[in-house]
Amino acid sequence: MSLVPAFEIGLWNGWILQGFFLLTMFVQDFVMGKEAKKRTSRLNQFVPFGKTEKILAYSTHVVIMPLVLLYSIFVPLKLGTPWLYVGLAILALSVVMYIMAILNAAGTSVGEPVTRGVYRITRHPIYLGAFLLYIGTGIACASWVILLCAVLWITIWHIVVPTEEGFCVEKYGDVYREYMARTPRWLGIPKST
């Protein structure tokens, strides 16, 4: 992994991994029915963030995501190297995590928090999945810049998610408090209750 990569535009660059993940997001709209879409729309509910949280959350969407996508256009994948295979494995994990999170949300009643499936091992599988996407892309391209963006991404969300969790506690009460007590924020072994 070099500090300054060989920039070139090509078909087999990091953008293809980013595009694959974005395609997964758009496919869900065509696969899911109306009722399932209604149940998953809760994942996009507006959380009453404070000014700092808003700035941080929006910065991940308007700075980090576009930066990684644009940068990955110019960084070739490390074809035929262990970097590529390790990165692809992590990327596959991120896609599976994202799809499972959407399916778990679609299979949960609207008035209940999503606490089953992948939500049993992490309270924020979509954010964690995005982090793994960036880690996988960074490794597959052997890019320190993309890996740094991944660390910045998860650090920002680590600051923002307590407000989101507070919103869920207000909305779902003790059910969500119990869920928080037994399920790790990012990743880990759930506690039995």
Side-chain angles (χ1 to χ4, degrees):
M1 205 179 280
S2 65
L3 288 176
V4 180
F7 291 112
E8 55 187 67
I9 295 179
L11 177 62
W12 297 108
N13 284 7
W15 70 269
I16 204 163
L17 302 178
Q18 299 287 304
F20 178 73
F21 191 80
L22 291 172
L23 180 66
T24 313
M25 292 169 54
F26 292 116
V27 166
Q28 85 184 23
D29 286 336
F30 297 109
V31 173
M32 294 171 35
K34 276 187 174 183
E35 186 60 32
K37 282 183 189 178
K38 185 192 302 183
R39 289 193 299 266
T40 58
S41 69
R42 80 173 104 209
L43 298 174
N44 299 320
Q45 285 183 344
F46 176 73
V47 175
F49 288 131
K51 185 177 180 181
T52 302
E53 289 92 354
K54 270 186 194 173
I55 291 169
L56 289 172
Y58 290 134
S59 72
T60 64
H61 290 76
V62 297
V63 177
I64 296 175
M65 289 171 73
L67 175 70
V68 171
L69 183 58
L70 288 172
Y71 187 78
S72 67
I73 291 171
F74 301 100
V75 181
L77 295 170
K78 298 299 180 192
L79 300 175
T81 67
W83 293 111
L84 177 69
Y85 301 114
V86 170
L88 288 178
I90 294 170
L91 180 89
L93 179 64
S94 76
V95 170
V96 167
M97 183 176 285
Y98 178 80
I99 291 170
M100 288 177 60
I102 295 301
L103 292 174
N104 294 149
T108 304
S109 299
V110 175
E112 300 174 18
V114 185
T115 60
R116 56 193 199 112
V118 72
Y119 283 88
R120 294 181 75 141
I121 58 171
T122 175
R123 294 194 303 257
H124 303 283
I126 293 177
Y127 299 148
L128 183 59
F131 171 67
L132 292 174
L133 165 74
Y134 296 139
I135 290 289
T137 302
I139 291 172
C141 295
S143 169
W144 289 104
V145 172
I146 296 174
L147 291 172
L148 182 63
C149 286
V151 170
L152 188 57
W153 167 274
I154 202 69
T155 302
I156 288 172
W157 282 108
H158 190 71
I159 294 167
V160 172
V161 295
T163 303
E164 187 172 308
E165 290 174 344
F167 173 75
C168 289
V169 166
E170 286 179 22
K171 184 170 183 171
Y172 300 113
D174 288 337
V175 173
Y176 199 80
R177 277 189 197 89
E178 291 169 13
Y179 170 65
M180 287 175 60
R182 72 175 181 270
T183 307
R185 177 175 283 161
W186 294 115
L187 195 59
I189 299 171
K191 298 173 189 163
S192 59
T193 54

